[in-house]
Amino acid sequence: MSLPIATERLLLRPHRSEDLGDLVVFHSDPEAVRHIPWPVRDRAATEETLAVKLDQAELREPGQWLVLAVELRETGRVIGEVLLKWASERQGELGFAFARDVHGRGYAAEAATAVLDLAFDGLGFHRVSAVVIDGNDMSARLLGRLGFRQEARLVDGVHFKGAWATQLVFALLEDEWREPSAVG
Ligand SMILES: CC(C)(COP(=O)(O)OP(=O)(O)OC[C@H]1O[C@@H](n2cnc3c(N)ncnc32)[C@H](O)[C@@H]1OP(=O)(O)O)[C@@H](O)C(=O)NCCC(=O)NCCS
């Protein structure tokens, strides 16, 4: 695995301690974290979670998460993060979160596409899944644009932020990634 990964507009790279100010922007935004398990974090809590991310720059064994900062090449600002879990043998799980002021510009799709290249080409994964809370329509739409299929709807599948919530399971197989029109 070779980092950083450069795309047309973005640089996907390990986190650095200097990223704190940029991370606080979306980690402290209740709307940005509404559908993900993270709490709303103040600066101190974001600093604690950043300390963990500093060590999540490699995938050496199943169970680990790769957590990459998504830097806007034009300005150097970290606008979001993408996550790839090595879930089990040749299986991965994708996650993403971006600052609200940059939504709707295709940055999440651009970053996720690069991570899927890494998953299928770089790491030889066979299947990548993504799990979203029912009602997280922007994420479901993004996954659809990336070619993911909805595989399951787990009613009350998780206790989420104090209440039972329904989860939608999406997945993308290597063949579907390589030849989107030939499958399904
Ligand atoms: C999920 C999330 C990353 C999606 O962000 P997004 O901005 O909608 O996704 P994209 O970056 O792919 O942008 C797509 C939109 O930009 C538009 N767009 C504008 N310029 C574009 C370009 N150059 N390329 C592609 N799309 C572009 C697309 O048309 C699309 O708009 P639409 O949704 O109205 O059709 C964002 O909502 C988020 O961070 N949510 C909170 C975290 C979260 O819930 N994570 C999920 C946990 S798994």
Side-chain angles (χ1 to χ4, degrees), residues 52-98:
V52 177
K53 292 176 199 297
L54 295 177
D55 266 343
Q56 291 178 309
E58 274 185 308
L59 279 183
R60 288 180 306 267
E61 57 191 45
Q64 287 185 322
W65 282 97
L66 173 70
V67 182
L68 296 177
V70 179
E71 182 183 308
L72 197 55
R73 288 169 63 176
E74 198 179 352
T75 60
R77 175 186 166 197
V78 174
I79 55 169
E81 54 197 89
V82 279
L83 305 88
L84 180 68
K85 184 181 186 181
W86 184 353
S88 58
E89 187 172 343
R90 295 185 62 201
Q91 303 260 343
E93 184 177 333
L94 177 70
F96 33 72
F98 284 76

Side-chain angles (χ1 to χ4, degrees), residues 133-134 153-160 163-168:
I133 296 291
D134 196 11
R153 184 166 186 275
L154 309 179
V155 177
D156 286 0
V158 65
H159 201 253
F160 183 82
W164 289 104
T166 295
Q167 293 174 301
L168 307 179

Side-chain angles (χ1 to χ4, degrees), residues 34-176:
R34 188 150 75 100
H35 293 111
I36 50 183
W38 306 349
V40 177
R41 297 184 171 115
D42 60 13
R43 193 176 177 87
T46 307
E47 192 165 17
E48 266 177 48
T49 199
L50 175 57
V52 177
K53 292 176 199 297
L54 295 177
D55 266 343
Q56 291 178 309
E58 274 185 308
L59 279 183
R60 288 180 306 267
E61 57 191 45
Q64 287 185 322
W65 282 97
L66 173 70
V67 182
L68 296 177
V70 179
E71 182 183 308
L72 197 55
R73 288 169 63 176
E74 198 179 352
T75 60
R77 175 186 166 197
V78 174
I79 55 169
E81 54 197 89
V82 279
L83 305 88
L84 180 68
K85 184 181 186 181
W86 184 353
S88 58
E89 187 172 343
R90 295 185 62 201
Q91 303 260 343
E93 184 177 333
L94 177 70
F96 33 72
F98 284 76
R100 255 196 306 157
D101 65 295
V102 301
H103 288 179
R105 300 186 204 173
Y107 292 138
E110 190 170 320
T113 299
V115 170
L116 290 170
D117 280 340
L118 170 69
F120 292 119
D121 282 337
L123 299 164
F125 284 177
H126 174 66
R127 177 177 173 275
V128 175
S129 62
V131 182
V132 309
I133 296 291
D134 196 11
N136 188 352
D137 298 337
M138 285 182 83
S139 291
R141 269 214 309 278
L142 169 59
L143 291 166
R145 283 196 299 273
L146 293 168
F148 280 72
R149 286 166 290 102
Q150 187 181 319
E151 283 187 336
R153 184 166 186 275
L154 309 179
V155 177
D156 286 0
V158 65
H159 201 253
F160 183 82
K161 300 195 169 178
W164 289 104
T166 295
Q167 293 174 301
L168 307 179
V169 181
F170 291 85
L172 179 65
L173 297 175
E174 182 187 357
D175 287 351
E176 296 169 322

